[in-house]
Amino acid sequence: MKEADLMLKHPLAKYLRQERMPHIWCEGCGNGILLNSFLEGLDELKQNLDRIVVVSGIGCIGRAAGYINVDSFHTTHGRAIPFATGVKLANPNLKVVVISGDGDLFAIGGNHFIHAARRNVDIKVICANNFNYGMTGGQYGPTTPLGSWTTTTPYGNIEHPFNLVHLAAASGAVYVARWTTLQVRRLKNSIKKALQKEGFSLVEVISPCPEIFDRYNKLGTAVDVMKWFKLISQVKHGYDPAKAEVAKNKIIVGEFVDIEKPSYGRLLREMTANVQDKLKGEK
Ligand code: SF4
């Protein structure tokens, strides 16, 4: 059977734009696992694909928006969240998902992230955190661990990285989870949960970058990195996100925040309806 026919037989094939295959991701990259987990989540929830919009910024994982067979936007660097906010406010019936990387979301787009979380905009952010800017050659970024080597930190990184789950929780997100690409079933379940919640959600996915970051840091093959994830991951639901910093010998994974509060869109619609009623009463 031809490779193209085999791909069409895959149970998730209908969720992918076959004309965009093969994808550009390197062998062993975690992006494929993230994408698969998202598609499995969509499939299990039996989502109406006409109601799903995927938005991404720039970076290796940003290509996901072009691969998924739903309405999608591959936007400018760091601006996925403002685009997604606009889509959601224009049509509240859509489920809007941002799939992007750590550099795009937390360096160039950092300001957008904290304010969308603070406002509780009803968008779901799935962040592939590979600790560097993979697509542009492996520069250090806002999540590069202290002491790590990248193309722009040849003597080791001296900047303290963001703890993404703490940042999201402190900014006001209603659902915050972190998994590595090893915990695929839990990752899929968190994505499903985020899709069903109203409000700003972050699912952080610690994802291998075997071609660049892992090679610079002598972490071995993609399989070695998965073994490392197995060794150092500790599942702790409800753990204080402030204490869940990613370290070389420990990655705390789990659900850190799961709360309810009205979303920005809901409050905006209520306010608009109240103002309209008031104006009608004044006529
Ligand atoms: Fe994946 Fe890294 Fe290759 Fe980008 S550079 S596709 S993150 S392995």
Side-chain angles (χ1 to χ4, degrees), residues 24-31 59-61 130 132-138 207-214:
I24 64 151
W25 297 322
C26 309
E27 199 174 322
C29 176
N31 288 343
C60 298
I61 188 65
N130 62 13
N132 77 136
Y133 288 93
M135 179 172 263
T136 49
S207 179
C209 174
E211 265 307 300
I212 308 202
F213 184 84
D214 301 352

Side-chain angles (χ1 to χ4, degrees), residues 252-269:
I252 306 286
V253 293
E255 290 182 333
F256 300 91
V257 177
D258 188 358
I259 58 170
E260 307 293 333
K261 63 181 174 183
S263 67
Y264 178 79
R266 178 183 292 274
L267 294 174
L268 180 67
R269 288 190 296 281

Side-chain angles (χ1 to χ4, degrees), residues 109-154:
N111 213 24
H112 300 305
F113 181 90
I114 57 174
H115 289 289
R118 176 180 64 79
R119 294 181 184 121
N120 197 25
V121 180
D122 186 15
I123 57 179
K124 293 83 192 53
V125 178
I126 304 172
C127 173
N129 180 3
N130 62 13
F131 305 130
N132 77 136
Y133 288 93
M135 179 172 263
T136 49
Q139 297 85 356
Y140 82 105
T143 60
T144 305
L146 204 61
S148 297
W149 291 284
T150 68
T151 50
T152 46
T153 54

Side-chain angles (χ1 to χ4, degrees), residues 103-273:
D104 183 77
L105 287 166
F106 293 97
I108 303 99
N111 213 24
H112 300 305
F113 181 90
I114 57 174
H115 289 289
R118 176 180 64 79
R119 294 181 184 121
N120 197 25
V121 180
D122 186 15
I123 57 179
K124 293 83 192 53
V125 178
I126 304 172
C127 173
N129 180 3
N130 62 13
F131 305 130
N132 77 136
Y133 288 93
M135 179 172 263
T136 49
Q139 297 85 356
Y140 82 105
T143 60
T144 305
L146 204 61
S148 297
W149 291 284
T150 68
T151 50
T152 46
T153 54
Y155 305 109
N157 178 32
I158 56 167
E159 292 188 12
H160 296 275
F162 273 139
N163 169 355
L164 300 186
V165 294
H166 180 37
L167 183 67
S171 302
V174 295
Y175 182 73
V176 181
R178 173 197 285 147
W179 300 106
T180 74
T181 49
L182 181 74
Q183 294 100 15
V184 282
R185 190 171 46 80
R186 286 162 156 153
L187 169 59
K188 177 194 67 185
N189 288 339
S190 272
I191 291 172
K192 284 168 67 177
K193 205 160 183 179
L195 281 168
Q196 293 173 96
K197 266 192 92 76
E198 178 182 330
F200 190 93
S201 302
L202 171 72
V203 180
E204 178 188 3
V205 187
I206 308 277
S207 179
C209 174
E211 265 307 300
I212 308 202
F213 184 84
D214 301 352
R215 195 149 50 90
Y216 266 86
N217 289 279
K218 301 188 175 23
L219 297 177
T221 64
V223 175
D224 292 330
V225 173
M226 293 295 248
K227 286 180 182 163
W228 177 59
F229 284 166
K230 186 168 190 319
L231 201 67
I232 65 167
S233 295
Q234 294 181 17
V235 182
K236 291 190 179 180
H237 294 301
Y239 194 73
D240 180 356
K243 295 179 184 158
E245 289 185 336
V246 174
K248 279 187 179 158
N249 59 354
K250 187 168 67 175
I251 300 177
I252 306 286
V253 293
E255 290 182 333
F256 300 91
V257 177
D258 188 358
I259 58 170
E260 307 293 333
K261 63 181 174 183
S263 67
Y264 178 79
R266 178 183 292 274
L267 294 174
L268 180 67
R269 288 190 296 281
E270 284 174 8
M271 183 191 72
T272 309

